[in-house]
């Protein structure tokens, strides 16, 4: 809680239930009187939302991993300056659907080992880690079929296929081990209500 507020991120493979659960948690916290800002990456500010369509639409091979690192980090810098840091400075709870851990995984692991490049640019341009990260863990096949059942043109990463999702699941579990102080792993294969209840318990424990 370095800036007065609390910065909580949600991570996990595509279709793991992040967007569903982050909305439920926002309502739970608001019901308890907390001032909550709900945001997402890539996006969360006007400029970053423009970058979002560049990175999420079109051919999977539209960008190299290196170019993606720059685009996601540029979007994150704008989001941090305009949305996240002002909300934290005002003492709010910021709930963010994906953040730098997604870049560490999707750009850092999927096409060669670029993790050091991601971390280097992160230290240089972002320099802020979440206070708490909720990792919704689940079977990649189930996640991908849930993700694919949505009607959207934002399918670039889903089109990399199930092997990528499997690699991302393993990678996220490794990251949870590496940053065990801030990561909490939630079983995403339960009902929506059961997952929501586990997440609320975890966050309320942290708040108390
Ligand atoms: P993400 O943001 O992680 O990609 P979503 O929250 O968009 O995931 O969920 C993907 C799809 O799966 C949505 O259609 C959502 O309604 C559904 N879904 C989410 N959580 C569950 C769950 N626990 N059980 C069954 N379906 C779920
Ligand atoms: P998101 O909208 O959260 O998709 P989903 O709801 O399917 O999980 O994120 C879109 C995609 O962007 C997702 O496949 C992961 C990818 N992504 C990266 O590759 N790097 C990043 O830094 C971020 C934030 C997302």
């Amino acid at each position: 809680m370095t800036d007065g507020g609390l910065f909580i991120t949600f991570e996990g493979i595509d279709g793991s239930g992040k967007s569903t659960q982050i909305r439920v948690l926002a309502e739970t916290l608001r019901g308890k009187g907390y001032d909550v800002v709900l945001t997402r990456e890539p996006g969360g500010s006007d400029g970053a939302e423009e970058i979002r369509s560049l990175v999420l639409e079109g051919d999977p091979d539209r960008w190299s991993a290196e170019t993606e690192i720059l685009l996601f980090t540029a979007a994150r810098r704008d989001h941090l300056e305009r949305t996240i840091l002002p909300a934290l400075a005002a003492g709010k709870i910021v709930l963010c659907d994906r953040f730098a851990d997604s870049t560490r995984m999707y750009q850092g692991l999927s096409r060669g080992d670029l993790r050091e490049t991601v971390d280097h640019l992160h230290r240089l341009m972002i320099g802020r880690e979440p206070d708490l990260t909720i990792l919704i863990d689940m079977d990649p096949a189930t996640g991908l079929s849930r993700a694919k059942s949505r009607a959207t043109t934002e399918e670039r990463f889903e089109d990399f296929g199930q092997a990528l999702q499997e690699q991302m699941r393993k990678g996220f579990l490794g990251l949870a081990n590496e940053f065990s102080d801030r990561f909490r792993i939630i079983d995403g294969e339960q009902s929506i209500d059961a997952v929501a209840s586990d997440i609320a318990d975890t966050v309320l424990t942290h708040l108390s």
Side-chain angles (χ1 to χ4, degrees):
M1 270 223 221
T2 45
D3 344 65
L6 187 70
F7 183 28
I8 304 178
T9 57
F10 278 58
E11 297 284 359
I13 60 172
D14 299 299
S16 55
K18 298 177 300 302
S19 322
T20 305
Q21 293 298 335
I22 206 167
R23 283 194 297 268
V24 177
L25 179 66
E27 283 321 302
T28 303
L29 293 175
R30 284 179 185 134
K32 294 188 179 295
Y34 291 101
D35 206 346
V36 176
V37 171
L38 184 50
T39 188
R40 68 167 182 183
E41 290 211 349
S45 63
D46 290 349
E49 289 289 336
E50 286 192 45
I51 297 175
R52 180 179 175 98
S53 53
L54 291 177
V55 284
L56 297 192
E57 295 176 23
D59 277 351
D61 60 2
R62 181 178 185 186
W63 308 108
S64 70
E66 287 83 351
T67 310
E68 279 173 19
I69 294 172
L70 292 166
L71 288 167
F72 279 106
T73 306
R76 182 161 306 129
R77 175 75 203 198
D78 192 62
H79 183 209
L80 191 74
E81 283 176 14
R82 291 169 200 266
T83 305
I84 299 174
L85 292 179
L88 292 175
K92 299 180 183 177
I93 297 181
V94 175
L95 302 181
C96 188
D97 191 342
R98 296 192 183 278
F99 192 64
D101 294 319
S102 282
T103 318
R104 291 185 171 108
M105 295 296 98
Y106 285 81
Q107 283 66 48
L109 288 189
S110 66
R111 284 151 288 170
D113 183 5
L114 291 174
R115 173 69 196 279
E116 186 43 42
T117 308
V118 173
D119 282 336
H120 194 63
L121 198 59
H122 179 79
R123 280 193 295 274
L124 197 63
M125 296 315 269
I126 309 296
R128 179 69 161 87
E129 299 293 352
D131 300 305
L132 187 66
T133 298
I134 303 292
L135 172 61
I136 306 185
D137 177 57
M138 69 176 305
D139 170 51
T142 315
L144 194 58
S145 74
R146 282 190 197 168
K148 280 284 181 194
S149 68
R150 292 178 300 210
T152 170
T153 53
E154 293 180 338
E155 296 201 336
R156 221 182 123 239
F157 286 90
E158 289 155 23
D159 289 343
F160 280 105
Q162 193 172 324
L164 176 79
Q165 303 303 328
E166 277 166 14
Q167 193 188 13
M168 294 299 101
R169 181 196 199 181
K170 280 203 196 100
F172 275 122
L173 289 170
L175 212 52
N177 194 35
E178 184 180 340
F179 298 112
S180 56
D181 51 337
R182 68 174 164 89
F183 263 87
R184 303 289 180 272
I185 303 171
I186 302 289
D187 175 8
E189 287 188 44
Q190 316 170 77
S191 69
I192 292 180
D193 286 352
V195 177
S197 157
D198 282 0
I199 293 174
D201 286 351
T202 300
V203 171
L204 292 171
T205 302
H206 187 92
L207 280 165
S208 66

